[in-house]
């Protein structure tokens, strides 16, 4: 009878919450963890998410019953496993089968995600309520986990518990930074390489990858030969790249929050105007799927040949016209005198 009443209590609890029930008797419970991408053309880093169970409270139990501790739960994703749109979901296992329950009752715990230090990852602030209904088995004379339910707290303040399918969700947000080169002016050298420095600075408390991939562009390796630069670090130091007219280099998969500066060497002593550097916005921070910095170098000069070559055809026509008129007058004068 005792067992029947305990099970009935558990069933009523599940029905009243309106949330999903997890786990069978003395089995581990689980909830979902979804890992998704903000932008489809990026790659998520490997990540292990950790969840803590706290603030254990007991009702419908023997007087003085204390809720036992539940060990942290973790779930790991390999690099690149997150996906766009709906994301990639895994189950987080909660070790309940090894818990020694001191009494029948309803044990309620707060479940929260532990914030990590991976840049670009948005960690969940949700708090879930995990309710474990413990019943007594007459045959084994032990307490066992009858039902487990998971539901959100009253997040919107409407007085009702909010149920969330899939439980926790995390998003990896990253974008690309492109730098382009344009040379203008009648004396601008389209084959000249210009030295450009890029500095990437990360957020405090975040752990960045050792390097990020760079595609395109060129780098002078010995002052004359061009080679390829393939990576850059988020270390607050200047990294030099070289571009000529029409070229672009792109730094890929930079986590949101990285700030950048782009500068160019001084070429005014070579007759170029001060470089015009156009940033996509003033904060110079990665916060969109792609950002492009444009650098323009202009070198204009007056050609001192005495004749502007662009006007030469018109000058020749004028000379021929004048010459023709002179010849006509001379011929006419000669005819009169004869």
């Amino acid at each position: 009878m005792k067992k029947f009443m305990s099970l009935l209590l558990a069933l009523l609890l599940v029905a009243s919450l309106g949330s999903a029930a997890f786990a069978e008797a003395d089995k581990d419970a689980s909830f979902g963890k979804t890992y998704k991408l903000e932008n489809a053309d990026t790659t998520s880093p490997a990540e292990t998410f950790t969840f803590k169970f706290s603030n254990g409270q007991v009702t419908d139990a023997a007087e003085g019953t204390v809720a036992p501790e539940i060990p942290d739960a973790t779930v790991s994703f390999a690099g690149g496993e997150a996906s766009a749109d709906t994301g990639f979901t895994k189950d987080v296992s909660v070790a309940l089968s090894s818990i020694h329950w001191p009494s029948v009752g309803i044990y309620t715990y707060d479940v929260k995600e532990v914030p990590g230090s991976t840049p670009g990852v948005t960690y969940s602030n949700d708090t879930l309520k995990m309710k474990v209904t413990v019943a007594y088995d007459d045959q084994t004379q032990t307490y066992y986990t009858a039902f487990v339910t998971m539901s959100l707290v009253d997040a919107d303040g409407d007085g009702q518990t909010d149920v969330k399918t899939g439980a926790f969700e995390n998003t990896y947000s990253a974008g690309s930074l492109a730098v382009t080169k344009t040379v203008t002016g009648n004396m601008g050298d389209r084959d000249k390489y210009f030295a450009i420095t890029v500095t990437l600075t990360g957020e405090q408390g975040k752990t960045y990858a050792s390097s990020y991939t760079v595609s395109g562009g060129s780098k002078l390796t010995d002052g004359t030969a061009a080679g390829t630069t393939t990576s850059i670090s988020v270390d607050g130091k200047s990294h030099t790249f070289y571009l000529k007219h029409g070229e672009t280099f792109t730094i890929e998969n930079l986590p949101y929050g990285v700030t950048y500066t782009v500068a160019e060497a001084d070429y005014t002593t070579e007759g170029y105007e001060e470089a015009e550097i156009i940033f996509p916005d003033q904060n110079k921070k990665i916060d969109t799927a792609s950002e492009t910095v444009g650098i323009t170098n202009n070198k204009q000069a007056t050609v001192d040949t005495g004749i502007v070559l662009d006007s030469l055809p018109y000058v020749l026509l004028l000379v021929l016209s004048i010459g023709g008129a002179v010849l006509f007058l001379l011929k006419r004068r000669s005819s009169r005198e004869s």
Side-chain angles (χ1 to χ4, degrees), residues 6 9 57-68 101-108 132-135 143:
S6 297
L9 176 63
Q57 299 182 26
V58 186
T59 57
D60 299 314
E63 187 176 351
T65 299
V66 177
W101 301 106
S103 169
V104 297
I106 299 174
Y107 297 77
T108 304
V132 182
T133 301
V134 176
Y143 301 108

Side-chain angles (χ1 to χ4, degrees), residues 6-313:
S6 297
L7 289 174
L8 180 60
L9 176 63
L11 289 171
L12 290 173
L13 172 64
V14 173
S16 64
L17 280 176
S19 59
F22 301 84
E24 297 176 2
D26 268 348
K27 298 293 181 64
D28 291 336
S30 66
F31 57 87
K33 156 60 67 177
T34 300
Y35 196 18
K36 64 188 300 184
L37 295 175
E38 175 73 18
N39 301 309
D41 56 348
T42 57
T43 303
S44 61
E47 179 72 282
T48 296
F49 298 98
T50 301
F51 304 87
K52 285 190 173 295
F53 304 84
S54 62
N55 195 30
Q57 299 182 26
V58 186
T59 57
D60 299 314
E63 187 176 351
T65 299
V66 177
E69 291 186 2
I70 296 178
D72 294 350
T74 61
V75 63
S76 296
F77 290 81
E81 277 199 309
S83 61
D85 300 325
T86 59
F88 181 54
T89 301
K90 288 186 175 182
D91 286 335
V92 183
S93 180
V94 183
L96 296 180
S97 57
S98 60
I99 299 296
H100 173 70
W101 301 106
S103 169
V104 297
I106 299 174
Y107 297 77
T108 304
Y109 297 85
D110 290 344
V111 186
K112 296 201 70 170
E113 182 176 285
V114 179
S117 60
T118 303
V121 175
T122 302
Y123 295 92
S124 176
N125 292 320
D126 290 340
T127 299
L128 274 76
K129 290 291 186 182
M130 184 179 74
K131 291 190 176 183
V132 182
T133 301
V134 176
Y136 182 75
D137 188 340
D138 287 320
Q139 292 182 353
T140 62
Q141 297 184 347
T142 59
Y143 301 108
Y144 68 96
T145 303
F147 283 91
V148 180
T149 61
M150 293 275 187
S151 59
L152 283 175
V153 296
D154 181 18
D156 55 11
D158 64 356
Q160 298 180 358
T161 301
D162 303 304
V163 177
K164 179 180 180 182
T165 302
F168 293 93
E169 181 177 285
N170 297 81
T171 301
Y172 178 66
S173 302
S176 63
L177 174 65
V179 180
T180 66
K181 163 62 60 183
T182 303
V183 177
T184 60
N186 61 351
M187 295 299 289
D189 186 353
R190 269 64 171 176
D191 293 320
K192 176 181 176 60
Y193 285 92
F194 293 81
I196 299 166
T197 58
V198 177
T199 305
L200 301 178
T201 305
E203 296 179 292
Q204 291 288 336
K206 300 291 186 179
T207 304
Y208 290 84
S210 58
S211 62
Y212 292 86
T213 301
V214 180
S215 60
S218 301
K219 179 180 180 180
L220 298 183
T221 55
D222 60 6
T224 56
T228 301
T229 301
T230 58
S231 65
I232 185 174
S233 301
V234 180
D235 53 11
K237 299 178 182 178
S238 296
H239 299 261
T240 303
F241 299 85
Y242 292 82
L243 290 178
K244 64 180 181 179
H245 175 72
E247 285 190 335
T248 300
F249 68 81
T250 303
I251 307 171
E252 302 169 357
N253 210 44
L254 284 175
Y256 279 15
V258 170
T259 56
Y260 59 86
T261 60
V262 178
E264 186 178 85
D266 184 8
Y267 291 97
T268 57
T269 57
E270 298 181 23
Y272 287 90
E273 298 175 5
E274 183 178 349
E276 180 184 13
I277 303 179
I278 301 177
F279 294 93
D281 51 51
Q282 294 303 311
N283 66 5
K284 301 175 185 176
K285 180 178 290 188
I286 302 297
D287 54 13
T288 60
S290 61
E291 304 196 12
T292 300
V293 177
I295 304 177
T296 300
N297 295 82
N298 183 65
K299 185 176 182 180
Q300 190 75 32
T302 301
V303 180
D304 56 357
T305 58
I307 298 176
V308 179
L309 296 182
D310 291 344
S311 303
L312 182 59

